[in-house]
Amino acid sequence: MRCVMGHGDSVVVLPTGGGKSLCYQVPAVCLPGMAIVVSPLISLMKDQVDGLRECGIPAAALNSSLQPHEKRTITAAIRSGEIKLLYIAPERLVMESTIDFLQSAQVSMIAIDEAHCISEWGHDFRPEFRGLRMIRDRFPNVGVHAYTATATERVRVDIAEQLGLRNPKTLVGSFDRKNLVYRVQQRSGQLDQIRAVIERHAGESGIVYCTTRADTESVCASLNDFGIPALPYHAGMPDVDRHRNQESFIEDRTPIIVATVAFGMGIDKPNVRFVVHAGMPKSLENYQQESGRAGRDGLEAECVLIFSPGDIARWKNMIAEADPAVMDAQRASLNAVYEFCTLPNCRHRSLVRYFGQDLQIGRAHV
């Protein structure tokens, strides 16, 4: 927060639930003018804006879901100086018309959320983020700050270079989530293994992550057949159904959500007691972010990864269709998560070391 208030540049890495949003939201309220927050997902923007408005902070989002009259209302509010935080997608921000308009406003700072998306060595590289480099030149007197939950040292350096940050401060929090217990199990009756975790947390909230949409539907249906209330969530569903299921889970009307990785980014639900991965994730960055949605209230939570050797073959087939520019990075990430699953090491220690830190000696983890 002091870095933002001082108008410098920064790269901030804090684990899921570590308070990244507060790092720019609080200074944005204190600084004169309007903060720009670059965010990759409409659902993430909505959650952030709704939360700020509930606290009485004027915030808005410009994205493709808005009707023309809604865009006009927001534009007028920006012109009149009423908005403190404006959320916007990267591809919209880099449009010349958008830049010209925002340059006429009093911009206090620029925050880039999920900043690992700009790096080809990040776990969720998105080409549209590359255009963000121009904001450093178009807003020369405004601090630019990159935030992510998942960045190795290599990715942190690449984020700063790709954004053209000027002598940025790199601030990295601890990746040691003391309240999380990590377990890895080789697949042996997947549904029974998932049910065993659910039964250990009867009546409590949990997330079951699946690799594909088909797996998501199948696992969810099977749980319902066993009398376990669960709802599906994946990108192939209609928006209204996804939103309804997400709200039901967040509001504790449905204890379990079965989802692809399309679910969870920016979701602030503190009482998730378990996260199950029904298949091997494609990177440890993904796993750290997704498992980190458990136990955000600081209480103990369980993270279980169920894998089989066939998982790596599935991911290799998917990588073969990826952009050649990021193929090497994806292969390296896949090898790292496979070692995490198969080597007889403390999972917690392995995960922390992957991000360049050491687990405190004397701590007991699975």
Side-chain angles (χ1 to χ4, degrees):
M1 292 184 189
R2 287 195 297 268
C3 186
V4 176
M5 296 297 292
H7 304 288
D9 293 349
S10 71
V11 176
V12 178
V13 185
L14 287 173
T16 301
K20 291 183 296 299
S21 298
L22 289 175
C23 290
Y24 56 83
Q25 288 175 347
V26 173
V29 173
C30 299
L31 291 169
M34 178 186 72
I36 296 173
V37 183
V38 182
S39 180
L41 290 177
I42 291 176
S43 60
L44 179 57
M45 295 184 200
K46 182 182 183 304
D47 288 337
Q48 297 277 331
V49 170
D50 288 349
L52 289 165
R53 287 177 175 173
E54 286 177 7
C55 296
I57 300 169
L62 280 176
N63 56 56
S64 59
S65 71
L66 299 178
Q67 297 297 319
H69 71 277
E70 292 175 309
K71 293 179 183 178
R72 288 193 294 269
T73 299
I74 293 172
T75 299
I78 293 171
R79 286 199 180 100
S80 62
E82 299 173 32
I83 303 296
K84 290 301 295 182
L85 290 101
L86 176 69
Y87 287 75
I88 190 168
E91 56 268 31
R92 180 175 291 272
L93 176 58
V94 300
M95 293 172 61
E96 195 66 30
S97 58
T98 303
I99 288 288
D100 289 343
F101 171 66
L102 292 175
Q103 282 184 313
S104 66
Q106 184 182 6
V107 176
S108 59
M109 53 87 68
I110 298 173
I112 300 171
D113 205 4
E114 307 297 335
H116 56 272
C117 294
I118 199 171
S119 172
E120 68 180 43
W121 292 98
H123 72 281
D124 191 20
F125 172 65
R126 303 191 185 194
E128 60 267 27
F129 267 69
R130 292 294 206 188
L132 293 175
R133 184 182 180 90
M134 52 90 74
I135 64 176
R136 177 65 287 173
D137 296 326
R138 299 298 292 269
F139 295 92
N141 300 317
V142 176
V144 177
H145 306 274
Y147 298 89
T148 178
T150 51
T152 60
E153 182 177 0
R154 181 178 195 171
V155 173
R156 297 194 291 268
V157 171
D158 197 31
I159 288 171
E161 290 179 351
Q162 294 299 328
L163 289 173
L165 302 185
R166 301 168 184 169
N167 300 315
K169 289 186 178 180
T170 300
L171 307 167
V172 183
S174 173
F175 288 95
D176 180 11
R177 293 287 302 279
K178 296 177 173 63
N179 60 314
L180 300 187
V181 176
Y182 296 92
R183 307 183 195 277
V184 177
Q185 301 174 357
Q186 188 150 352
R187 188 173 302 141
S188 175
Q190 183 189 63
L191 279 173
D192 288 339
Q193 290 172 290
I194 295 171
R195 288 173 61 198
V197 179
I198 294 172
E199 288 170 3
R200 288 199 291 271
H201 302 274
E204 296 180 319
S205 291
I207 304 171
V208 179
Y209 280 109
C210 297
T211 305
T212 67
R213 300 175 186 180
D215 289 344
T216 298
E217 294 285 355
S218 174
V219 170
C220 187
S222 295
L223 292 179
N224 287 325
D225 289 343
F226 284 119
I228 299 172
L231 290 173
Y233 186 105
H234 58 75
M237 297 169 58
D239 289 345
V240 64
D241 292 342
R242 284 205 313 272
H243 179 72
R244 182 184 63 246
N245 291 358
Q246 176 176 303
E247 291 297 313
S248 182
F249 176 68
I250 290 174
E251 296 172 3
D252 292 322
R253 288 182 278 113
T254 300
I256 298 168
I257 196 90
V258 184
T260 60
V261 295
F263 176 81
M265 190 178 288
I267 299 302
D268 187 12
K269 182 175 170 62
N271 63 334
V272 174
R273 297 272 66 86
F274 66 91
V275 172
V276 176
H277 280 75
M280 190 182 78
K282 67 178 180 179
S283 71
L284 285 178
E285 287 90 344
N286 279 85
Y287 185 63
Q288 192 270 346
Q289 187 173 58
E290 292 151 17
S291 62
R293 287 165 190 144
R296 294 182 68 161
D297 54 8
L299 301 178
E300 186 173 300
E302 184 178 13
C303 305
V304 178
L305 194 167
I306 302 167
F307 86 102
S308 78
D311 291 339
I312 193 167
R314 176 186 284 188
W315 280 120
K316 283 182 176 179
N317 288 335
M318 294 182 185
I319 289 174
E321 301 174 1
D323 184 341
V326 299
M327 198 174 291
D328 288 344
Q330 291 190 3
R331 285 199 185 105
S333 294
L334 186 59
N335 289 335
V337 73
Y338 186 70
E339 288 186 1
F340 174 80
C341 290
T342 56
L343 294 181
N345 298 329
C346 168
R347 313 299 180 181
H348 202 128
R349 185 182 296 275
S350 296
L351 192 60
V352 170
R353 281 183 172 173
Y354 179 77
F355 291 99
Q357 298 176 353
D358 286 319
L359 195 66
Q360 182 180 339
I361 296 175
R363 293 280 311 288
H365 294 288
V366 177

